Amino acid sequence: MSTIKEKEQEVIEEFALFDDWMDKYNYLIELGKSVPKIDDQYKEEKYLISGCQAQVWLHARYEDGRVYYTADSDALITKGIVALLIRVLSGQPPADIVDAEMTFIDEIGLKEHLSQTRSNGLLNMIKQMKLYALAFQKSKN
Amino acid sequence: MPINADAIRKNFPILETEINKRPLIYFDNAATTQKPLVVLERLRYYYENENSNIHRGAHYLSHIATEAYEAARNNLRRFINAGESHEIIFTRGTTEAINLVANSFSKKFVNEGDEILISTMEHHSNIVPWQIACQEHGAKLRVIPINDKGELDMEAYDGILSDKTRLVAVTHVSNALGTINPVEELVKKAHEKNIPVLIDGAQAAPHLHIDVQQIDCDFYCFSGHKMYGPMGVGVLYGKEEWLNQLPPYQGGGEMIKEVTFEKTTYNELPFKFEAGTPNVADVLGLDAAVSFILDAGLDNIAAHEQQLHDYTVEQLRKLEKVRFIGTAKQKTSVVSFLFEDIHPYDTGTILDKLGVAVRTGHHCAQPLMDFYGIPGTVRASFAAYNTQEEIDKMIEGLQKVREMFG
């Protein structure tokens, strides 16, 4: 299985194909449709990421030393970005997730979604993904 | 006289900004307006020529700065037609003004079992300070309901006003809907029961003639930065008889008459409520903003904005699946809407890419969004410098959003 770095590189190369932001966002919207869907029973307050203008639900499970994420969002662009995060982090060992730098977001030109404004909770999304990994890592030791 | 938006734009350097090689279209004026050169120059002039601490030093600079500051107070008094200059208290903004009243008023006049009355369409800044005050004093927060159009239910208001009501705090204009509330009627009804009224005027000051004596409200608050002035400065107007009864909000310099370790006596109005070194530069900037508005003519600005509002609504109606939020009869130039099948965040993101700055989200009025059962809206709010061509570009952007999201 590819490492997080390798997967990040894969995404960067894919996005390099677009020279127009519209194509990039259309692709994001498409990606959103492929997000590993969170089970409806988890679509509740407890699994909601705070700080997002759009609602984002995130669930994680730990299996054979790796973390697997599922998620959903009511905004399609947000869902696309979440799909990208899951593609890069899901199926990785918790230690690697905790250490992941996630610089690819900047490189594919989506940094604005990580800004500290109140409307963008993507930073919280990454933080939550890492917190799950950290918790699994601790329970393992 | 119709205003010439193209000429006005020349006073706002920031409007020359380009985003993704497109000219910035700034439709987030209800959040904050841009600042004209006269305001920016006033700030600079102060720091270059007048900077000093006011009301104390006997030296030249302190003297001219004090005069300018107190002249600004009088101009602000005239702007809202208050009776006395000392009824004008400078604050950091509307939020601080409301917190001041919520804190000081409640300390003296709110007790267990009392009620404070607000409305469903309040900004969080006119909800949370009262919530805190209610918790502290064992009082209850009551809410005037609204109808689907986003207008206050005045009949329900009659029913909720009671002997237990200690104060009514309602917005003049809703930031999320643009609804203009019948503030005179609200005040009249409360006064029949001897209940004081605070009006949140943050969204009214840039658009409406405000006459606090005609409204007869007991407190009126507004912010400089929403009316072409600097951030960090605002006004609390309070009737003298009320302000005199309230205990100070913050302690410090300026607000004292005499201090010993045993006891402090407080300064008179307005200084009693202006603890610490005042924000002189921004007060002078706000003064310049008031001149800017009066020079352009408040009526002319309002007429221009109304025209932009009506044009936007007309153009939006041509698009599919548009739902308008807030369709009150009396409205300012705020258009709040969403596509029924597209999240406001998605719409806002694409508009941003096209250089159009709108506000998306709950507009700091979550209870109001809950009332409509929506996650938020897309809000376009206009100012003197906006043009019809800009609206055409936003509509083009929205057509693109429709294409992208099906």
Side-chain angles (χ1 to χ4, degrees):
Chain A
M1 189 171 211
S2 325
T3 64
I4 291 176
K5 267 280 160 237
E6 283 162 355
K7 286 193 166 183
E8 286 193 53
Q9 199 48 45
E10 209 179 282
V11 174
I12 291 167
E13 280 163 24
E14 255 173 51
F15 272 77
L17 298 173
F18 305 117
D19 37 3
D20 184 278
W21 69 265
M22 276 272 278
D23 295 339
K24 196 155 68 182
Y25 275 77
N26 275 322
Y27 183 58
L28 265 184
I29 295 165
E30 269 316 299
L31 280 177
K33 293 174 185 161
S34 67
V35 72
K37 261 289 187 48
I38 191 168
D39 198 297
D40 274 346
Q41 61 168 317
Y42 300 127
K43 273 183 135 180
E44 52 159 308
E45 187 84 32
K46 200 175 141 193
Y47 296 95
L48 211 52
I49 310 283
S50 64
C52 296
Q53 196 180 104
Q55 290 188 298
V56 179
W57 297 270
L58 175 73
H59 179 262
R61 78 189 148 81
Y62 188 50
E63 212 175 278
D64 301 331
R66 289 169 189 271
V67 185
Y68 295 88
Y69 298 98
T70 55
D72 201 2
S73 173
D74 53 357
L76 296 185
I77 292 172
T78 310
K79 198 146 92 175
I81 296 169
V82 169
L84 275 180
L85 297 180
I86 289 185
R87 183 166 143 198
V88 169
L89 294 181
S90 205
Q92 299 293 336
D96 293 356
I97 295 172
V98 172
D99 292 337
E101 286 172 37
M102 308 294 277
T103 45
F104 80 102
I105 306 241
D106 196 356
E107 288 191 48
I108 62 175
L110 293 177
K111 195 185 170 191
E112 66 210 54
H113 294 277
L114 287 176
S115 73
Q116 298 269 10
T117 69
R118 274 184 281 191
S119 55
N120 295 320
L122 211 74
L123 273 179
N124 289 344
M125 175 87 190
I126 295 174
K127 197 168 137 197
Q128 192 57 39
M129 291 177 95
K130 290 191 168 205
L131 281 175
Y132 271 123
L134 197 66
F136 291 136
Q137 192 182 20
K138 286 214 171 124
S139 65
K140 190 177 67 175
N141 296 333
Chain B
M1 190 182 65
I3 58 169
N4 181 348
D6 290 330
I8 284 189
R9 290 179 75 84
K10 297 204 171 76
N11 296 295
F12 293 84
I14 203 171
L15 296 177
E16 284 157 30
T17 306
E18 286 198 350
I19 294 162
N20 297 325
K21 295 185 190 131
R22 292 160 188 272
L24 162 71
I25 295 175
Y26 188 77
F27 286 162
D28 197 14
N29 295 290
T32 196
T33 56
Q34 299 305 342
K35 323 303 174 200
L37 283 169
V38 284
V39 170
L40 307 181
E41 281 159 7
R42 186 67 189 94
L43 297 176
R44 192 183 171 115
Y45 184 87
Y46 170 75
Y47 284 121
E48 277 186 355
N49 300 284
E50 302 163 312
N51 180 48
S52 58
N53 212 329
I54 59 169
H55 294 141
R56 2 195 154 204
H59 56 78
Y60 173 77
L61 284 184
S62 178
H63 179 67
I64 56 168
T66 304
E67 281 209 340
Y69 184 79
E70 290 307 323
R73 196 192 302 278
N74 193 42
N75 291 339
L76 266 301
R77 176 199 67 74
R78 206 178 304 138
F79 184 63
I80 59 169
N81 194 32
E84 304 289 342
S85 279
H86 58 250
E87 293 178 319
I88 302 293
I89 312 287
F90 288 117
T91 65
R92 276 198 301 135
T94 306
T95 299
E96 190 181 58
I98 296 172
N99 273 280
L100 188 162
V101 178
N103 193 287
S104 293
F105 180 90
S106 306
K107 220 178 258 171
K108 187 149 179 193
F109 296 105
V110 179
N111 295 302
E112 187 128 6
D114 289 347
E115 294 177 353
I116 303 280
L117 194 45
I118 60 169
S119 89
T120 306
M121 68 173 89
E122 297 313 312
H123 186 283
H124 294 163
S125 291
N126 200 27
I127 301 174
V128 185
W130 302 111
Q131 232 160 19
I132 294 172
C134 284
Q135 274 163 12
E136 250 167 45
H137 301 283
K140 198 175 160 198
L141 195 64
R142 301 282 312 263
V143 184
I144 310 165
I146 58 170
N147 63 23
D148 284 347
K149 285 180 173 173
E151 297 164 326
L152 289 180
D153 182 341
M154 292 302 280
E155 250 174 67
Y157 174 57
D158 289 339
I160 306 173
L161 268 182
S162 79
D163 299 343
K164 290 183 189 163
T165 315
R166 285 296 153 265
L167 183 135
V168 177
V170 175
T171 193
H172 195 164
V173 172
S174 156
N175 71 309
L177 309 174
T179 308
I180 303 174
N181 286 321
V183 284
E184 280 180 47
E185 195 185 338
L186 282 161
V187 171
K188 194 165 163 259
K189 287 183 168 170
H191 282 183
E192 279 164 14
K193 293 189 159 75
N194 292 320
I195 302 161
V197 179
L198 174 141
I199 304 291
D200 169 356
Q203 297 292 337
H207 308 289
L208 306 176
H209 279 287
I210 292 153
D211 184 333
V212 289
Q213 294 190 77
Q214 194 181 325
I215 297 170
D216 199 24
C217 54
D218 304 278
F219 303 100
Y220 196 96
C221 320
F222 58 100
S223 297
H225 74 96
K226 292 188 196 289
M227 47 183 283
Y228 310 102
M231 287 185 170
V233 63
V235 167
L236 165 66
Y237 156 81
K239 278 185 185 165
E240 183 177 357
E241 60 262 37
W242 276 111
L243 290 177
N244 273 330
Q245 288 183 72
L246 301 191
Y249 176 47
Q250 292 175 331
E254 280 273 280
M255 53 79 74
I256 55 93
K257 193 185 238 164
E258 221 171 66
V259 180
T260 65
F261 284 117
E262 287 70 40
K263 187 175 178 283
T264 294
T265 51
Y266 302 122
N267 206 336
E268 56 203 28
L269 293 177
F271 312 110
K272 182 171 101 177
F273 291 107
E274 291 182 0
T277 296
N279 184 0
V280 183
D282 289 325
V283 164
L284 301 181
L286 172 57
D287 190 17
V290 167
S291 301
F292 169 80
I293 290 174
L294 296 178
D295 287 348
L298 200 45
D299 288 333
N300 303 333
I301 294 175
H304 174 71
E305 291 169 345
Q306 190 60 44
Q307 208 179 341
L308 296 176
H309 168 274
D310 295 349
Y311 182 72
T312 306
V313 170
E314 188 188 304
Q315 295 302 312
L316 280 174
R317 283 217 175 99
K318 294 180 187 163
L319 300 177
E320 273 174 60
K321 296 182 185 170
V322 171
R323 179 180 171 195
F324 291 96
I325 303 295
T327 49
K329 265 192 220 118
Q330 299 288 326
K331 272 190 68 180
T332 56
S333 54
V334 168
V335 184
S336 225
F337 67 96
L338 68 166
F339 287 121
E340 281 161 17
D341 52 344
I342 304 170
H343 197 283
Y345 182 71
D346 286 332
T347 307
T349 304
I350 300 304
L351 286 182
D352 172 51
K353 284 278 160 197
L354 295 165
V356 183
V358 291
R359 175 83 185 269
T360 61
H362 54 62
H363 315 298
C364 295
Q366 284 172 357
L368 182 63
M369 298 299 121
D370 291 345
F371 171 81
Y372 284 108
I374 51 174
T377 74
V378 178
R379 181 188 69 185
S381 51
F382 306 116
Y385 42 68
N386 290 127
T387 65
Q388 194 162 309
E389 292 77 58
E390 289 182 308
I391 292 167
D392 288 336
K393 286 194 186 131
M394 177 180 75
I395 298 291
E396 266 171 47
L398 290 168
Q399 276 161 346
K400 213 158 258 179
V401 170
R402 277 252 58 109
E403 281 164 30
M404 288 177 82
F405 294 92

